[in-house]
Structures are given as C-alpha cells and as structure tokens.
C-alpha cells in the first residue's frame, strides 16, 4: 500500500469561525479546493464548535489546522515559532 503524502503547499488562513457567515465561506472554499491547506484561528471559548465544524468539511482532515488565539492579540496569540511558521506558509487571508 502506498504511503499517504502529507498535504503541502500554500495555506489559506481564515478567522471568524464559528460564525455562520464564516462557516459558509469556508464550505465554499473547501468545496472549490479539495486538496488545499487551511488554517483557522479560533478563540478558546469557540474551540469545541470549530473542531466539530472542521470535522465535517470535505477531503483529507490533515489539510486543516486550528490555532487557538485571537486577531486582537500580539502575533494572533500564537507562540513566536508557531506564528513565524504559519506566516511563512500563508498565501491568502480571509478575515
């Protein structure tokens, strides 16, 4: 059996989940691009809802990453290395 290739390539970064309008946008984006990588920023209190929503998205689940933080925080609330790694891979931002 062939080894599954880890998703690679540029990342689409999305904030605003689990709001309904953001869910709709993410559904459209992931339907249009079933192999692209996506990163989602979610507040701590919304993590459960965001994880449930992402679990229902189409395609390989390894292509989705959820980060806990907030747009109002320095470096989105991420650690320095985490922020730098993400920033190096993001091509598109939906905020």
């Amino acid at each position: 059996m062939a080894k599954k290739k880890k998703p690679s390539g540029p990342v689409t970064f999305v904030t605003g989940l689990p709001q309904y309008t953001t869910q709709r946008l993410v559904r459209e984006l992931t339907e249009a691009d079933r192999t692209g990588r996506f990163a989602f920023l979610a507040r701590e209190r919304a993590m459960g809802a965001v994880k449930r929503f992402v679990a229902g998205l189409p395609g390989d689940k390894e292509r989705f990453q959820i980060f806990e933080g907030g747009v109002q925080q320095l470096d989105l609330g991420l650690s320095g290395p985490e922020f730098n790694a993400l920033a190096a891979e993001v091509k598109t931002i939906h905020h």
Side-chain angles (χ1 to χ4, degrees):
M1 181 172 11
K3 199 173 193 179
K4 198 164 145 180
K5 190 176 178 183
K6 189 170 179 157
S8 63
V11 172
T12 299
F13 185 72
V14 182
T15 67
L17 281 175
Q19 295 176 2
Y20 174 76
T21 53
T22 307
Q23 287 184 16
R24 204 167 129 190
L25 170 68
V26 168
R27 281 190 196 100
E28 289 177 15
L29 292 170
T30 57
E31 283 289 333
D33 183 358
R34 290 183 169 257
T35 60
R37 296 170 57 209
F38 293 84
F40 307 106
L41 184 68
R43 292 183 176 175
E44 179 183 7
R45 67 178 182 254
M47 286 298 285
V50 172
K51 287 178 181 178
R52 286 188 297 277
F53 172 75
V54 170
L57 293 174
D60 184 358
K61 301 306 177 222
E62 287 187 23
R63 68 194 188 112
F64 304 124
Q65 273 188 290
I66 304 170
F67 293 92
E68 184 178 312
V71 295
Q72 75 287 0
Q73 296 174 299
L74 179 65
D75 292 340
L76 303 174
L78 307 176
S79 70
E82 200 174 39
F83 178 82
N84 290 334
L86 180 63
E89 296 182 317
V90 170
K91 179 181 179 187
T92 306
I93 299 173
H94 294 275
H95 172 65

